[in-house]
């Protein structure tokens, strides 16, 4: 299937990370013009230095892409500290929760808000945020709040943009492994690989995808839990 992504301009925030790198590669395979952005991006290789926690950095970065390419067709936000970098002993610490919320959920909102004006003007656009299945689980306040908030922001934006040609969706992986296990334990989500996540994200960024307001799972949704 032709995903109709040839020459479409897509910003991937967090594009140097584990998931982001896979997304960048997959989009380029489909012919998209991809701009990987992160705090550690290399401009010499086409990367964009952007701190998604800084509104001015996000605004200037998006404006620069539109000025250079004349358009911005898609945005993928996978910028967030890995769950492994969070302190398990501080899962209920308000300071850690607030920092994680800002770094993941609000980073998604900042990037989306900066991209939407250009997409509105064009009458089309695709926005995808990478959340996680902790959004559906208790036992880790930090993980639950930052992911559930990102999903809620995505749904609110999708509803606000209904009818504009802009879609907003979120993708919720379980544990991310290069070789996902086939087994799924009770009360746990299934594993997924960066490549599997990238395949879904690439479809959602394409004009072929007309769904909006969805929180989609990669791998098995939490076994033994129904709904969201």
């Amino acid at each position: 299937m032709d995903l109709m992504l040839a020459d479409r301009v897509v910003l991937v925030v967090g594009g140097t990370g584990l998931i982001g790198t896979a997304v960048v590669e997959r989009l380029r395979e489909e012919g998209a013009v991809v701009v990987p952005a992160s705090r550690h991006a290399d401009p010499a290789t086409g990367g964009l230095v952007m701190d998604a926690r800084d509104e001015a950095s996000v605004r200037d970065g998006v404006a620069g892409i539109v000025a250079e390419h004349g358009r911005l067709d898609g945005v993928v936000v996978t910028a967030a500290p890995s769950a492994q970098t969070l302190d398990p002993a501080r899962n209920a610490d308000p300071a850690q929760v607030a920092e994680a919320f800002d770094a993941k959920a609000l980073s998604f909102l900042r990037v989306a808000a900066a991209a939407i004006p250009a997409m509105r003007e064009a009458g089309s656009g695709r926005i995808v945020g990478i959340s996680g299945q902790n959004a559906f689980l208790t036992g880790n306040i930090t993980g639950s709040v930052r992911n559930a908030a990102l999903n809620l922001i995505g749904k609110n934006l999708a509803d606000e943009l209904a009818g504009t040609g802009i879609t907003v969706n979120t993708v919720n992986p379980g544990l991310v492994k290069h070789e996902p296990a086939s087994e799924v334990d009770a009360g746990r989500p299934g594993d997924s690989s960066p490549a599997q996540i990238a395949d879904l994200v690439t479809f959602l960024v394409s004009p072929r995808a007309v769904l909006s307001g969805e929180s989609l799972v990669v791998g098995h949704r939490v076994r033994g839990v129904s709904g969201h």
Side-chain angles (χ1 to χ4, degrees):
M1 176 188 294
D2 179 7
L3 293 180
M4 302 169 64
L5 282 167
D7 300 324
R8 289 183 176 265
V9 179
V10 183
L11 167 65
V12 180
V13 182
T16 59
L18 179 65
I19 296 173
T21 298
V23 171
V24 168
E25 291 176 355
R26 185 71 184 87
L27 285 167
R28 284 178 173 164
E29 288 173 1
E30 293 293 329
V33 177
V34 186
V35 182
S38 75
R39 288 179 294 164
H40 309 294
D42 183 2
T45 60
L48 172 66
V49 177
M50 177 188 289
D51 184 353
R53 298 171 300 178
D54 183 289
E55 187 172 349
S57 176
V58 171
R59 183 182 62 246
D60 292 347
V62 169
I65 293 172
V66 175
E68 179 178 354
H69 299 281
R71 59 194 294 175
L72 180 57
D73 302 292
V75 168
V76 180
V77 183
T78 180
S82 165
Q84 283 68 42
T85 66
L86 301 173
D87 185 352
R90 299 178 59 213
N91 280 339
D93 179 349
Q96 177 168 274
V97 174
E99 182 178 352
F101 171 77
D102 180 71
K104 190 163 192 175
L106 290 187
S107 287
F108 171 65
L109 180 58
R110 289 185 194 99
V111 176
I116 286 169
M119 291 181 175
R120 278 189 181 274
E121 185 173 347
S124 66
R126 299 289 184 266
I127 300 171
V128 180
I130 307 300
S131 182
Q133 290 200 50
N134 270 351
F136 314 134
L137 295 167
T138 61
N140 179 340
I141 293 177
T142 299
S144 294
V145 167
R146 72 174 189 161
N147 288 323
L150 194 155
N151 286 338
L152 286 169
I153 290 169
K155 174 57 173 167
N156 275 273
L157 288 175
D159 287 357
E160 177 184 321
L161 295 166
T164 65
I166 304 169
T167 67
V168 185
N169 295 286
T170 59
V171 171
N172 295 262
L175 290 177
V176 181
K177 301 178 179 179
H178 285 292
E179 297 184 3
S182 58
E183 300 81 9
V184 181
D185 295 332
R188 301 296 303 168
D191 296 346
S192 57
S193 70
Q196 290 168 340
I197 297 166
D199 284 344
L200 176 57
V201 169
T202 299
F203 172 70
L204 292 174
V205 171
S206 80
R208 296 285 191 188
V210 295
L211 68 165
S212 190
E214 295 292 338
S215 295
L216 302 166
V217 163
V218 183
H220 194 96
R221 183 180 287 275
V222 182
R223 186 175 177 183
V225 175
S226 63
H228 293 286

